[in-house]
Amino acid sequence: MTGRPNFYNLLELSCNPPELDKDKIKFAIETKKKYWNSRANMPGKRGEEAKYFSSLTGEMISRLVDDEFWEEEAERAHTEELEKKRELERIQNEQLDRMIEIASSKGFITKLEISFIKAKLSVPEAAIQKRINVEVKEGKKKTKQSSSDGLEMTNPSTLKEIASLLSGLNVKPLAGSLPTLYDFLGIPEKGSARSVLFAEANEQFALYQRKAKGSQDTESRRQLYSIAKQIFHNETERKKYDNSLAGMRLEQANNLLEIACAGGVVDFFTYEALMKRLQQEGVPQKLAKDHIRLYCAQKGAELRSVKGDAETEVQLLQCGICGVIHDDKSRHCTNCGDALNAPCKKCGTMNKNNSNHCSSCSFPISGQFTHQKLLNEGFFLLSCNRLDEAKAYFERARKIWDNNETAAGLQQIASHKKRVSDQVQKIESEMKFKRFYRAEQEWIRLKKLDAALPEHGYFEREIALKIRLADSLVQKAMLASNQAEAEKLCIEAISVCADNKDAEEKLSHIPPEPPLNGMIQPSGKTITISWKPSVSKGSIVYQLLRKEAGSHEEKLLAETADFSYRDSSVEAGKSYSYTILSKRGKVSSAPHKASGQGFFTAEAENLQAHAASDSITITWKAPPRSKIEVWKKENQQPSRRGDGVRLSGVKGNELIDTDVEKGKRYGYLVMVQYQDESGRIIFSNGKPVMAVAMNTEPIKDLSIGISGDTIKYQCTKPAEGEVYFLISESPFDEVQVGEISLFQDLSPRYGGRLLRVPHACEGVLDLPKSGRCSVLPVTKVGEMAIAGTPKAVKQMFEVTDLDAVMNDQGKLLLTWNWPETVEHAVVAYSYHSFPQEPKDPAAVHREVSLTAYNAFGGYLIDQPGSGNLFIKVFIMEELNGEITYSEGESYYYTNSQPIRLSYKVEMKFFKKKKFIRISSENPAVPLPRMVIIKQSGRQPISITDGREIAAIEDGRMPADALTDISSHSEQGCYVKVFLSNPKDYKRFTLEPFGDLLIH
């Protein structure tokens, strides 16, 4: 029930003049309440209505004290009464005009026919005379006879229930004057397949079954969908319903026929007018002719169905799109403008636009012409940005025929709505951060995308309000008598509208407060300077000045809006001081000196231990302006300066320790010594290295390759010891080549699993499920382990959802989804065939970074040409210091017609095996991904209408596209192939060939 009914109408009170006596109104409420309560337990709609009306009496009683309410209610009741009266007059005038039109079609009207119309419609004769514009003559009366059509029809009680429900929902007829289940489902009566009607009714019924019991409107729809399911379940029930509709339409037409027969003769012009009227109401031409003949025979009227001396009857042609009737020589409909004859989409033979099948090839064209009309309307509305209306047309078209054009239309709507949604989010984001000037520009762009969006009112009101308020504050700031007041007003304007340029400009001439609490913190090879922001408002940046020890000049190091800065251009062993200033516009604050020590130490680099049987050589690269000190300890590493024995004999960047015993383990700590500007000696923490006096080198030549789900490896066997691999999904970043440790400490220290390598030092390993790992070769000598050069292993993934769209400038925009952690790719394309490798000499190839891709929203091919493009995108990554490429993802782009694909069911091996064979008119182009859908009793009508039994993955060549479906063969089942990605319908068409029944 949509809205509260009028109380005056419910209580049957007079509204003109209005009944305003409180006692009479109260008496009417109590009387009606008793009546409604007595009917509340009745089944169905009447009982629900009575309960609802009874529930309104509480509100009626509470309103008794409100005189103004009852006056307004009476006025509304009077308005409703006048509107109802006008509607009845309109309907009566339409009936009157139809009767006069039929009676006058012979060129005159008889007095007998006028009398009949007067009696039938109960209208004054003067009102009839005013609407007649032909000559009035005398006429003769004929006798009555009975008639019966003998057609099998739907149960009368069901028809009555349908009519009641359709009337309650105010369903408007698509053609004629009688609303039907076809109108309720939104599918044309003429030429629509029963399976489509049943599928729509079944889908909607299931949807309404899941809804909680709600309004009368919801319950009525649930009942109608249930009835529609029963009627369109099989052809027999549908035929009964169609016969019933024809009978009801003929019954409506009997009034016109009675007038036409009143004069005893139905001439050719009257006969032609009657035929047109009956066919416009949806009565088939043959049935209309038979009914007129029978009716005339029953009434004893002479029927002249041919014109003058003509030998054949009038032949009429009904437009299959709008239902208007024309003579058979007409080429276009005078109402909707569409061609009355159009070609079959398969063989091109001309057919009437209300045909069910092609007269030449029998291809089913049911609703094809209505479908095309709906598509034309949908694309027109889409061009006008009337998206919801366009979507309704495309949805109706899809119910008739779900083809590439329908999918393309719906895809365009979805894309446009996505652009609108993204634009709305962009505006909301700008408003969230109070950037209302930017929001205004984005809102102007949104209006161009969709001028009818309901959010426009809110955006316009909020943006205008904030901009107006900010501008008024800026105007006050311009007139302020001192800088403090002007700064306060400008800051307030920016707090309202963060991108107010005038306020920023004004503030740029007022010095801000300096930053606070500047701190210096050395970290590794850098120095980090941090501070608290200035208390001043506006667009403030910070200038960082640096001064080296011994210098009197401060140099500008950086200008940033952040509150910290990492200085990586410093050198170990030097002292630095830092000053920070706040800057707003062209004016800077007073300087602020950062506190802390701007001095740091660095460790020796490239530290290595080279072992022999009688000595150990330690090598390194010392930092500038430093000295080296080395400490030694047996069996473990020194932990600090003074822990162990200090070694002498440091020469440049090496030290040779000859005080060793073969097979023993030694730890060394290499420390760097500095002297600051005050002369104080400062040591670094030191860098440790372990070594064993032995004659074995670490493995440095490990080679790795991926083959499917396995790793192929090869390396040189060391002169002494056994080879193990430590395999981990984390990289070995902290491992130094030649580093020596206890073998038993490897797994606990670095993680991963140890695997003993066969004597030949080559073989195959299983690749982890993650597709990536690191392999550390280890030489085991006794209880010690020597680390070799680690290698990273990574399985490369391809880009996904690769697509190409031509923009307005004639450039081709490629888009795809990047795999995680990947930042570089190579785009290669050719006009003849797919590139074989990233730098194929026969193709154009360009490197693309993720940063550039995001900046441009994809990759642009500036000159794609007018022909076909064979495109391949390769992932590009650096692994173990070398550039590697993936196998590449292919995409075929064409400016010409889509490639036609066809498929059929093939039987082999004495019909025991069944296959789907895919054929292509361009065998050189790989196939897109397709799915095979199975449905019982009929062909699937969409990718979701049935069960997916197999898939044909993208990239397969047509010559290899043979899919076994033998295990899915069942009695009375059909299969159909659909493109998995709707975007592929731009590049391919898919058509069945032959019988798709599998049994």
Side-chain angles (χ1 to χ4, degrees):
M1 207 155 294
T2 58
R4 176 179 65 76
N6 187 276
F7 289 167
Y8 269 85
N9 292 337
L10 279 182
L11 299 175
E12 299 180 12
L13 294 170
S14 170
C15 60
N16 189 28
E19 178 61 73
L20 298 174
D21 189 308
K22 299 296 176 60
D23 293 332
K24 290 182 180 180
I25 296 174
K26 186 175 181 180
F27 177 75
I29 294 170
E30 292 170 350
T31 303
K32 279 292 184 181
K33 184 175 182 180
K34 290 178 184 177
Y35 171 71
W36 289 327
N37 287 340
S38 69
R39 295 170 63 88
N41 294 325
M42 293 180 70
K45 184 178 178 181
R46 293 180 181 178
E48 289 184 9
E49 238 180 25
K51 289 177 185 175
Y52 175 63
F53 293 157
S54 180
S55 69
L56 295 175
T57 55
E59 183 183 352
M60 295 179 188
I61 293 293
S62 66
R63 293 280 194 173
L64 280 175
V65 295
D66 190 348
D67 293 336
E68 187 177 345
F69 168 78
W70 288 97
E71 288 174 3
E72 291 176 357
E73 196 74 358
E75 187 177 341
R76 281 195 294 270
H78 181 57
T79 302
E80 288 178 14
E81 190 177 282
L82 291 176
E83 287 176 355
K84 191 180 293 184
K85 186 176 179 182
R86 281 195 291 269
E87 180 64 15
L88 290 173
E89 286 177 357
R90 185 188 64 79
I91 294 171
Q92 188 179 59
N93 287 335
E94 283 183 0
Q95 292 175 334
L96 178 60
D97 288 339
R98 280 201 298 271
M99 289 184 175
I100 293 173
E101 179 189 358
I102 295 298
S104 304
S105 58
K106 55 187 176 292
F108 62 90
I109 190 169
T110 66
K111 291 182 178 179
L112 191 62
E113 290 167 339
I114 293 172
S115 300
F116 175 80
I117 294 171
K118 176 183 176 182
K120 200 72 177 176
L121 298 181
S122 301
V123 294
E125 186 172 333
I128 299 172
Q129 291 284 0
K130 278 197 296 185
R131 307 180 88 86
I132 295 172
N133 53 16
V134 294
E135 183 183 355
V136 179
K137 295 184 178 181
E138 297 291 338
K140 296 181 180 179
K141 189 175 181 181
K142 294 290 178 178
T143 57
K144 282 187 179 181
Q145 292 183 14
S146 62
S147 65
S148 175
D149 55 20
L151 294 173
E152 192 176 4
M153 299 189 180
T154 301
N155 188 296
S157 62
T158 303
L159 292 173
K160 187 176 179 181
E161 184 179 5
I162 292 171
S164 174
L165 292 168
L166 290 173
S167 174
L169 292 172
N170 196 27
V171 175
K172 301 297 182 184
L174 298 173
S177 57
L178 183 69
T180 68
L181 286 176
Y182 296 100
D183 304 320
F184 175 66
L185 295 176
I187 301 175
E189 178 180 348
K190 186 68 175 174
S192 297
R194 180 201 59 78
S195 59
V196 175
L197 294 159
F198 177 77
E200 176 66 11
N202 191 44
E203 180 183 340
Q204 294 297 327
F205 177 72
L207 178 66
Y208 275 83
Q209 275 290 84
R210 292 193 293 269
K211 289 186 177 181
K213 191 172 181 180
S215 65
Q216 185 63 37
D217 182 277
T218 301
E219 293 304 311
S220 298
R221 289 182 180 277
R222 198 198 319 260
Q223 292 177 49
L224 273 175
Y225 285 125
S226 175
I227 295 169
K229 272 182 60 182
Q230 298 169 22
I231 285 178
F232 298 123
H233 181 68
N234 56 56
E235 288 293 348
T236 303
E237 292 301 319
R238 181 185 180 180
K239 185 67 177 175
K240 287 182 182 180
Y241 182 63
D242 289 345
N243 290 339
S244 302
L245 292 180
M248 288 187 283
R249 287 160 175 163
L250 291 174
E251 188 64 33
Q252 286 182 339
N254 283 347
N255 290 336
L256 304 177
L257 285 166
E258 191 167 351
I259 297 170
C261 294
V265 176
V266 177
D267 64 10
F268 170 78
F269 298 104
T270 303
Y271 173 69
E272 185 180 37
L274 285 167
M275 284 291 294
K276 287 184 177 181
R277 174 59 63 183
L278 286 175
Q279 285 190 251
Q280 283 172 359
E281 287 293 331
V283 180
Q285 190 170 110
K286 186 178 182 306
L287 185 58
K289 287 181 179 180
D290 292 344
H291 185 72
I292 293 173
R293 285 197 192 96
L294 180 60
Y295 196 91
C296 289
Q298 290 173 345
K299 296 294 184 180
E302 180 186 352
L303 176 62
R304 298 173 183 172
S305 58
V306 296
K307 184 177 181 182
D309 298 330
E311 296 180 359
T312 56
E313 290 188 10
V314 61
Q315 294 296 319
L316 300 175
L317 184 60
Q318 184 176 22
C319 176
I321 294 173
C322 68
V324 169
I325 308 300
H326 309 79
D327 61 64
D328 59 348
K329 294 181 181 178
S330 299
R331 293 187 177 182
H332 290 83
C333 177
T334 57
N335 180 51
C336 67
D338 278 278
L340 295 172
N341 294 282
C344 167
K345 290 196 173 182
K346 184 175 182 183
C347 70
T349 302
M350 299 299 289
N351 294 271
K352 294 177 181 178
N353 71 357
N354 59 5
S355 303
N356 289 330
H357 293 82
C358 175
S359 59
S360 175
C361 67
S362 299
F363 184 70
I365 54 176
S366 302
Q368 170 183 302
F369 308 101
T370 304
H371 176 268
Q372 190 59 49
K373 177 70 173 178
L374 292 170
L375 282 183
N376 293 343
E377 288 291 336
F379 281 114
F380 170 74
L381 292 167
L382 187 56
S383 68
C384 301
N385 286 336
R386 292 157 64 182
L387 302 184
D388 291 334
E389 294 175 69
K391 185 178 181 181
Y393 275 93
F394 287 129
E395 290 290 358
R396 285 176 59 191
R398 186 167 65 173
K399 291 173 185 176
I400 298 170
W401 195 0
D402 190 3
N403 70 342
N404 298 351
E405 292 177 285
T406 312
L410 290 170
Q411 180 62 34
Q412 285 186 44
I413 290 174
S415 299
H416 192 95
K417 286 196 170 183
K418 177 70 167 56
R419 289 198 298 273
V420 170
S421 175
D422 290 346
Q423 191 64 20
V424 169
Q425 290 180 13
K426 193 179 291 186
I427 296 170
E428 290 173 342
S429 175
E430 297 293 357
M431 293 175 67
K432 178 182 177 181
F433 293 104
K434 299 183 179 181
R435 297 190 289 257
F436 290 99
Y437 286 94
R438 293 188 198 173
E440 185 178 40
Q441 296 304 313
E442 298 298 340
W443 173 59
I444 292 170
R445 295 188 184 98
L446 178 64
K447 286 197 293 184
K448 292 178 181 178
L449 282 175
D450 189 348
L453 210 63
E455 285 91 338
H456 284 311
Y458 167 73
F459 287 152
E460 182 177 18
R461 184 173 59 254
E462 287 298 310
I463 292 171
L465 177 66
K466 299 298 184 182
I467 289 177
R468 192 163 52 246
L469 177 57
D471 286 346
S472 68
L473 290 168
V474 172
Q475 288 176 5
K476 291 179 181 178
M478 297 298 181
L479 301 173
S481 57
N482 57 72
Q483 280 194 346
E485 180 66 20
E487 182 181 19
K488 180 182 176 182
L489 289 166
C490 286
I491 290 170
E492 189 177 350
I494 290 172
S495 70
V496 173
C497 196
D499 56 346
N500 189 299
K501 300 298 181 185
D502 293 334
E504 290 281 0
E505 175 63 22
K506 180 67 176 175
L507 281 174
S508 69
H509 298 285
I510 303 174
E513 292 295 319
L516 306 170
N517 299 344
M519 298 290 293
I520 299 172
Q521 181 65 48
S523 175
K525 295 182 180 181
T526 64
I527 295 177
T528 301
I529 306 93
S530 62
W531 58 90
K532 289 187 178 180
S534 166
V535 295
S536 298
K537 304 295 182 181
S539 297
I540 293 179
V541 294
Y542 298 94
Q543 292 179 315
L544 186 63
L545 306 177
R546 184 181 74 184
K547 187 173 75 170
E548 292 184 16
S551 172
H552 299 288
E553 182 184 0
E554 280 188 319
K555 294 182 179 180
L556 178 63
L557 180 64
E559 189 169 280
T560 176
D562 294 330
F563 308 134
S564 65
Y565 182 81
R566 180 173 290 179
D567 186 2
S568 58
S569 62
V570 291
E571 297 180 25
K574 282 190 175 183
S575 296
Y576 301 91
S577 61
Y578 296 89
T579 302
I580 315 161
L581 297 91
S582 303
K583 182 181 178 184
R584 184 168 57 195
K586 301 174 183 178
V587 184
S588 299
S589 68
H592 171 72
K593 191 82 171 179
S595 62
Q597 184 181 19
F599 181 92
F600 72 97
T601 61
E603 301 292 352
E605 296 180 351
N606 301 335
L607 178 61
Q608 292 184 347
H610 305 277
S613 58
D614 58 353
S615 66
I616 295 174
T617 302
I618 311 298
T619 62
W620 60 82
K621 182 181 178 182
R625 298 177 300 280
S626 67
K627 295 179 180 180
I628 297 296
E629 190 173 286
V630 181
W631 293 79
K632 171 185 172 184
K633 195 172 185 179
E634 191 174 323
N635 291 325
Q636 58 182 309
Q637 294 171 344
S639 60
R640 66 188 184 282
R641 187 170 185 266
D643 182 17
V645 178
R646 179 181 174 183
L647 298 180
S648 59
V650 174
K651 295 180 180 180
N653 284 324
E654 74 171 12
L655 180 147
I656 301 174
D657 184 12
T658 56
D659 186 16
V660 296
E661 294 182 28
K662 185 177 180 180
K664 278 195 175 183
R665 181 169 172 254
Y666 299 95
Y668 299 90
L669 184 64
V670 179
M671 305 183 71
V672 181
Q673 175 185 328
Y674 292 95
Q675 186 174 3
D676 68 8
E677 58 182 326
S678 64
R680 184 166 57 99
I681 302 298
I682 300 173
F683 286 93
S684 69
N685 293 326
K687 202 169 186 179
V689 64
M690 294 291 295
V692 176
M694 62 179 67
N695 196 21
T696 299
E697 289 292 321
I699 298 171
K700 299 180 181 180
D701 62 347
L702 174 64
S703 63
I704 292 285
I706 294 180
S707 177
D709 294 332
T710 60
I711 304 170
K712 288 185 176 181
Y713 67 87
Q714 186 176 15
C715 63
T716 302
K717 187 179 186 304
E720 183 181 357
E722 299 175 290
V723 177
Y724 283 80
F725 286 163
L726 183 59
I727 301 173
S728 172
E729 293 193 22
S730 301
F732 296 105
D733 293 335
E734 298 179 5
V735 176
Q736 296 289 329
V737 177
E739 181 179 333
I740 299 173
S741 60
L742 286 172
F743 183 79
Q744 65 184 21
D745 292 341
L746 284 175
S747 288
R749 182 177 178 185
Y750 299 115
R753 60 189 177 91
L754 275 166
L755 182 69
R756 189 174 183 275
V757 177
H759 181 75
C761 284
E762 63 177 299
V764 175
L765 304 173
D766 290 333
L767 185 70
K769 291 182 179 179
S770 64
R772 63 181 67 190
C773 67
S774 292
V775 179
L776 176 67
V778 176
T779 305
K780 180 176 182 254
V781 180
E783 296 180 356
M784 307 307 295
I786 305 173
T789 303
K791 291 285 185 179
V793 183
K794 183 177 181 183
Q795 190 177 39
M796 300 187 73
F797 297 96
E798 303 291 354
V799 301
T800 57
D801 294 337
L802 179 58
D803 194 17
V805 177
M806 188 71 74
N807 65 18
D808 296 338
Q809 290 80 38
K811 298 180 181 180
L812 192 66
L813 179 67
L814 298 184
T815 57
W816 61 81
N817 289 332
W818 292 73
E820 287 185 18
T821 73
V822 172
E823 294 187 354
H824 291 85
V826 172
V827 175
Y829 58 91
S830 169
Y831 299 97
H832 308 291
S833 61
F834 284 106
Q836 298 301 307
E837 57 183 357
K839 296 187 178 180
D840 190 331
V844 179
H845 40 82
R846 298 285 186 272
E847 185 177 329
V848 186
S849 69
L850 178 59
T851 304
Y853 177 95
N854 289 333
F856 291 98
Y859 176 76
L860 278 174
I861 298 179
D862 293 332
Q863 297 178 336
S866 57
N868 303 328
L869 269 184
F870 295 82
I871 304 166
K872 216 165 189 180
V873 178
F874 301 87
I875 288 301
M876 170 183 171
E877 290 192 85
E878 183 178 345
L879 199 62
N880 299 316
E882 298 179 356
I883 299 298
T884 57
Y885 301 93
S886 68
E887 293 182 2
E889 183 72 10
S890 301
Y891 186 90
Y892 171 73
Y893 177 80
T894 178
N895 273 326
S896 55
Q897 292 295 322
I899 295 176
R900 185 167 62 86
L901 306 178
S902 61
Y903 63 93
K904 64 179 179 178
V905 177
E906 283 189 2
M907 298 188 185
K908 295 187 176 184
F909 308 109
F910 304 101
K911 297 187 178 181
K912 292 182 180 179
K913 288 284 188 178
K914 298 177 179 64
F915 299 87
I916 292 289
R917 167 80 69 182
I918 306 292
S919 302
S920 172
E921 66 180 1
N922 191 341
V925 177
L927 297 174
R929 188 178 191 276
M930 293 175 275
V931 293
I932 303 172
I933 304 297
K934 171 182 167 184
Q935 181 58 273
S936 177
R938 59 179 175 82
Q939 288 188 20
I941 60 175
S942 70
I943 198 170
T944 58
D945 181 28
R947 183 165 64 89
E948 181 180 331
I949 60 172
I952 301 165
E953 297 300 333
D954 60 344
R956 288 179 65 178
M957 302 307 292
D960 304 325
L962 189 67
T963 305
D964 189 351
I965 58 169
S966 306
S967 61
H968 300 283
S969 179
E970 292 181 26
Q971 187 69 29
C973 285
Y974 291 80
V975 292
K976 199 168 182 181
V977 182
F978 296 90
L979 297 179
S980 179
N981 188 345
K983 293 180 180 178
D984 285 331
Y985 283 105
K986 295 184 295 183
R987 304 183 293 137
F988 300 92
T989 62
L990 192 58
E991 297 176 1
F993 181 76
D995 189 6
L996 299 179
L997 179 68
I998 55 172
H999 52 74

